[in-house]
């Protein structure tokens, strides 16, 4: 239900256009595909992904000898899910260890919703019965530490911090010791997101990761890149840059409730081969959902 509500803008715009298209055509022909192509591009699915999708749809229509546009609902849905899955079944669920401390690192530029996502995920995990701690690793941006503390208080989880300007790797070291001492299940780590200086960002993230790896073999268990869905192709270019800088294991796509262009989910997965793991569907504490491709795609036509 929350998923449906959060996707309202995308659903309204996309399903309205597809409904209209299907109603106007009596036969699935070349023109039908041309119009469908435009609809997909306007939903930010991305040109490369749209081309691939249209090709696959044409093959499927030919293979099954489909003529009636009504049949295209299920064909389109199936292919959208296929493209999302990309053949290999990459898990969309978070890699949370059944035993011991799980460390999740958050990266992304300012304003995308990183702090909010950390707060929301802390709330979600706590509700699932896990003990959670936050590490204020963005020591660079003024206000970042305080903002994380506000979320910590709101959710009722401890925040490990040092003063502004201190070494993020030292914050992580402290946080890991504290998490071990208090038997914490999941440690959520904020980091600074300066893309202006790629070399510095890379060095900082590498240093942070080294400290984490040294303290807990196999950690960090996730490096989640937070992207703002309302920024469309800009989010795509941020993702490309972060992928060069560090080993991103999953995407959190925020503000999906604020855009009609939810197709960006598909473009990111298909063009970058990184699974979208969580989606932000609003500003409230419980507006974070695990991403499920079937639910998402079928929700578009519901
Ligand atoms: P940060 O700079 O990346 O840490 O970004 P913040 O967490 O401070 O978020 C920036 C703004 O985006 C805030 O006003 C948040 O309330 C808002 N925001 C974050 N996630 C979502 C979301 O999923 N939906 C909506 N509508 N707003 C969001």
């Amino acid at each position: 239900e929350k998923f449906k509500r959060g996707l309202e803008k995308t659903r309204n715009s996309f399903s309205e256009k597809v409904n209209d298209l299907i109603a106007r055509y009596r036969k699935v022909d070349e023109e039908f595909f041309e119009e469908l192509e435009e609809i997909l591009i306007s939903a930010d699915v991305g040109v490369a992904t749209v081309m691939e999708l249209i090709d696959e749809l044409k093959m499927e229509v030919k293979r099954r000898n489909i003529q009636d546009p009504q049949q295209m609902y299920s064909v389109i849905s199936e292919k959208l899910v296929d493209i999302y899955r990309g053949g290999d079944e990459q898990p969309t669920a978070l890699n949370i260890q059944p035993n011991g401390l799980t460390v999740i690192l958050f990266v992304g530029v300012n304003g995308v919703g990183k702090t909010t996502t950390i707060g929301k995920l802390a709330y979600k995990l706590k509700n699932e019965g896990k003990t959670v701690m936050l590490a204020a690793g963005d020591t660079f941006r003024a206000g970042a530490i305080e903002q994380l503390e506000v979320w910590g208080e709101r959710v009722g989880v401890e925040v490990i911090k040092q003063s502004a300007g201190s070494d993020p790797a030292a914050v992580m070291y402290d946080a890991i010791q504290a998490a071990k001492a208090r038997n914490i299940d999941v440690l959520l780590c904020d980091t600074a997101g300066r893309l202006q200086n790629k070399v510095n960002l890379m060095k900082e993230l590498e240093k942070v990761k080294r400290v984490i790896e040294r303290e807990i073999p196999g950690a960090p268990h996730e490096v989640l890149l937070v992207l703002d869905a309302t920024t469309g192709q800009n989010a795509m270019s941020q993702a490309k840059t972060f992928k060069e800088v560090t080993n991103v294991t999953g995407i959190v796509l925020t503000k999906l409730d604020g855009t009609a262009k939810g197709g960006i989910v598909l473009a990111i997965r298909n063009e970058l081969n990184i699974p979208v793991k969580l989606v932000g569907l609003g500003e409230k504490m419980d507006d974070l959902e695990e991403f499920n491709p079937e639910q998402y795609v079928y929700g578009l036509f519901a």
Side-chain angles (χ1 to χ4, degrees):
E1 273 310 303
K2 207 177 296 159
F3 220 81
K4 272 171 86 173
R5 195 160 27 83
L7 279 178
E8 208 166 295
K9 286 189 182 160
T10 295
R11 189 175 71 240
N12 287 346
S13 145
F14 185 73
S15 69
E16 212 171 87
K17 288 180 193 163
V18 174
N19 286 344
D20 170 66
L21 174 70
I22 286 175
R24 276 189 292 110
Y25 278 79
R26 296 181 56 198
K27 197 163 135 270
V28 181
D29 57 14
E30 192 57 34
E31 266 176 70
F32 177 92
F33 280 117
E34 272 170 32
E35 283 202 44
L36 181 61
E37 193 174 305
E38 275 169 40
I39 294 171
L40 290 162
I41 286 175
S42 75
D44 251 356
V45 175
V47 177
T49 306
V50 171
M51 294 309 169
E52 198 181 321
L53 183 62
I54 294 287
D55 278 351
E56 299 227 353
L57 285 171
K58 283 182 179 169
M59 280 196 293
E60 188 68 10
V61 161
K62 202 169 161 196
R63 196 176 64 80
R64 287 165 55 183
N65 194 19
I66 290 171
Q67 313 224 327
D68 180 3
Q70 286 296 330
Q71 281 183 273
M72 289 307 287
Y73 284 113
S74 64
V75 180
I76 294 169
S77 304
E78 278 163 31
K79 282 291 160 201
L80 284 173
V81 173
D82 273 2
I83 289 250
Y84 183 84
R85 291 216 176 278
D88 57 356
E89 293 264 327
Q90 283 198 59
T92 53
L94 287 182
N95 175 22
I96 306 269
Q97 302 300 107
N99 299 299
L101 179 60
T102 298
V103 181
I104 301 181
L105 209 56
F106 287 83
V107 300
V109 304
N110 294 334
V112 292
K114 200 152 38 102
T115 319
T116 308
T117 299
I118 293 173
K120 287 175 183 172
L121 184 58
Y123 175 77
K124 188 170 162 36
L125 292 169
K126 208 182 155 193
N127 275 349
E128 290 167 10
K130 301 216 159 41
T131 51
V132 182
M133 187 180 263
L134 311 183
D138 184 354
T139 59
F140 184 76
R141 181 169 66 92
I145 300 172
E146 290 75 14
Q147 212 189 327
L148 199 67
E149 282 187 300
V150 170
W151 271 104
E153 240 168 74
R154 196 177 291 165
V155 178
V157 298
E158 193 178 350
V159 180
I160 302 299
K161 56 158 188 174
Q162 290 185 4
S163 52
S166 59
D167 182 356
V171 177
M172 293 309 161
Y173 181 83
D174 274 4
I176 289 173
Q177 304 314 318
K180 281 181 178 169
R182 310 218 222 311
N183 260 322
I184 292 291
D185 296 319
V186 189
L187 177 64
L188 305 178
C189 308
D190 195 9
T191 64
R194 287 163 287 160
L195 265 195
Q196 297 81 352
N197 193 331
K198 246 167 74 174
V199 177
N200 279 355
L201 177 69
M202 194 182 305
K203 281 188 186 154
E204 183 170 309
L205 288 175
E206 279 315 304
K207 194 174 168 193
V208 162
K209 279 172 82 177
R210 262 204 314 278
V211 168
I212 296 173
E213 273 160 20
R214 201 176 57 216
E215 296 303 309
I216 302 160
H221 302 92
E222 292 276 5
V223 178
L224 297 181
L225 170 62
V226 184
L227 297 172
D228 178 343
T230 64
T231 63
Q233 291 305 310
N234 202 3
M236 180 63 90
S237 81
Q238 283 170 24
K240 283 184 181 147
T241 309
F242 270 97
K243 203 183 164 184
E244 286 164 24
V245 169
T246 191
N247 175 32
V248 177
T249 60
I251 304 273
V252 183
L253 204 57
T254 64
K255 312 186 197 180
L256 262 183
D257 55 304
T259 179
K261 301 187 167 196
I264 190 78
V265 171
L266 204 70
I268 286 172
R269 171 63 181 84
N270 194 45
E271 287 175 39
L272 302 177
N273 201 28
I274 308 173
V276 176
K277 297 207 165 178
L278 296 167
V279 290
L281 300 168
E283 293 187 278
K284 292 197 304 294
M285 204 138 61
D286 62 351
D287 287 333
L288 185 76
E289 290 286 307
E290 271 171 34
F291 180 70
N292 174 314
E294 280 86 3
Q295 226 180 5
Y296 185 84
V297 168
Y298 289 101
L300 287 179
F301 296 112

